[in-house]
mmCIF file of all heavy atoms in Angstrom:
data_model
loop_
_atom_site.group_PDB
_atom_site.id
_atom_site.type_symbol
_atom_site.label_atom_id
_atom_site.label_comp_id
_atom_site.label_asym_id
_atom_site.label_seq_id
_atom_site.Cartn_x
_atom_site.Cartn_y
_atom_site.Cartn_z
ATOM 1 N N ILE F 360 82.030 218.342 242.824
ATOM 2 C CA ILE F 360 82.676 218.233 244.131
ATOM 3 C C ILE F 360 84.176 218.018 243.957
ATOM 4 O O ILE F 360 84.631 217.560 242.912
ATOM 5 C CB ILE F 360 82.091 217.090 245.006
ATOM 6 C CG1 ILE F 360 82.040 215.784 244.226
ATOM 7 C CG2 ILE F 360 80.745 217.485 245.544
ATOM 8 C CD1 ILE F 360 81.575 214.630 245.080
ATOM 9 N N HIS F 361 84.909 218.367 244.998
ATOM 10 C CA HIS F 361 86.375 218.269 244.936
ATOM 11 C C HIS F 361 86.847 217.335 246.061
ATOM 12 O O HIS F 361 86.309 217.373 247.166
ATOM 13 C CB HIS F 361 86.976 219.662 245.124
ATOM 14 C CG HIS F 361 88.433 219.689 244.805
ATOM 15 N ND1 HIS F 361 89.389 219.270 245.710
ATOM 16 C CD2 HIS F 361 89.091 220.057 243.679
ATOM 17 C CE1 HIS F 361 90.582 219.384 245.132
ATOM 18 N NE2 HIS F 361 90.430 219.858 243.900
ATOM 19 N N PRO F 362 87.837 216.499 245.761
ATOM 20 C CA PRO F 362 88.274 215.541 246.782
ATOM 21 C C PRO F 362 88.793 216.176 248.073
ATOM 22 O O PRO F 362 88.839 215.515 249.106
ATOM 23 C CB PRO F 362 89.381 214.750 246.097
ATOM 24 C CG PRO F 362 89.543 215.294 244.746
ATOM 25 C CD PRO F 362 88.495 216.290 244.473
ATOM 26 N N TYR F 363 89.164 217.440 248.024
ATOM 27 C CA TYR F 363 89.663 218.081 249.249
ATOM 28 C C TYR F 363 88.562 218.762 250.054
ATOM 29 O O TYR F 363 88.829 219.397 251.067
ATOM 30 C CB TYR F 363 90.753 219.096 248.910
ATOM 31 C CG TYR F 363 92.100 218.463 248.636
ATOM 32 C CD1 TYR F 363 92.885 218.886 247.568
ATOM 33 C CD2 TYR F 363 92.590 217.440 249.454
ATOM 34 C CE1 TYR F 363 94.115 218.300 247.306
ATOM 35 C CE2 TYR F 363 93.817 216.847 249.196
ATOM 36 C CZ TYR F 363 94.580 217.283 248.131
ATOM 37 O OH TYR F 363 95.792 216.701 247.872
ATOM 38 N N GLN F 364 87.312 218.646 249.575
ATOM 39 C CA GLN F 364 86.215 219.270 250.329
ATOM 40 C C GLN F 364 86.055 218.637 251.699
ATOM 41 O O GLN F 364 86.297 217.439 251.862
ATOM 42 C CB GLN F 364 84.911 219.077 249.555
ATOM 43 C CG GLN F 364 84.509 220.273 248.740
ATOM 44 C CD GLN F 364 83.249 219.995 247.941
ATOM 45 O OE1 GLN F 364 83.325 219.923 246.730
ATOM 46 N NE2 GLN F 364 82.126 219.839 248.612
ATOM 47 N N PRO F 365 85.608 219.399 252.694
ATOM 48 C CA PRO F 365 85.367 218.797 254.015
ATOM 49 C C PRO F 365 84.264 217.747 253.949
ATOM 50 O O PRO F 365 83.328 217.864 253.148
ATOM 51 C CB PRO F 365 84.930 219.973 254.886
ATOM 52 C CG PRO F 365 84.825 221.159 254.013
ATOM 53 C CD PRO F 365 85.345 220.834 252.661
ATOM 54 N N GLU F 366 84.402 216.737 254.781
ATOM 55 C CA GLU F 366 83.449 215.626 254.773
ATOM 56 C C GLU F 366 81.997 216.074 254.945
ATOM 57 O O GLU F 366 81.092 215.512 254.329
ATOM 58 C CB GLU F 366 83.796 214.641 255.895
ATOM 59 C CG GLU F 366 84.833 213.630 255.476
ATOM 60 C CD GLU F 366 85.396 212.858 256.667
ATOM 61 O OE1 GLU F 366 84.793 212.880 257.743
ATOM 62 O OE2 GLU F 366 86.465 212.243 256.501
ATOM 63 N N GLU F 367 81.771 217.095 255.773
ATOM 64 C CA GLU F 367 80.380 217.529 256.008
ATOM 65 C C GLU F 367 79.718 217.950 254.698
ATOM 66 O O GLU F 367 78.504 217.877 254.566
ATOM 67 C CB GLU F 367 80.281 218.732 256.965
ATOM 68 C CG GLU F 367 81.068 218.650 258.228
ATOM 69 C CD GLU F 367 82.499 219.134 258.022
ATOM 70 O OE1 GLU F 367 82.735 220.357 257.977
ATOM 71 O OE2 GLU F 367 83.380 218.255 257.920
ATOM 72 N N SER F 368 80.529 218.438 253.745
ATOM 73 C CA SER F 368 79.929 218.986 252.527
ATOM 74 C C SER F 368 79.776 217.937 251.428
ATOM 75 O O SER F 368 79.286 218.234 250.353
ATOM 76 C CB SER F 368 80.767 220.152 252.018
ATOM 77 O OG SER F 368 82.010 219.681 251.535
ATOM 78 N N ILE F 369 80.220 216.693 251.674
ATOM 79 C CA ILE F 369 80.079 215.650 250.641
ATOM 80 C C ILE F 369 79.367 214.423 251.215
ATOM 81 O O ILE F 369 79.623 213.297 250.797
ATOM 82 C CB ILE F 369 81.446 215.238 250.043
ATOM 83 C CG1 ILE F 369 82.459 214.940 251.160
ATOM 84 C CG2 ILE F 369 81.986 216.306 249.122
ATOM 85 C CD1 ILE F 369 83.660 214.172 250.692
#
Side-chain angles (χ1 to χ4, degrees):
I360 50 176
H361 191 279
Y363 281 137
Q364 261 177 248
E366 274 167 16
E367 312 86 78
S368 69
I369 49 164

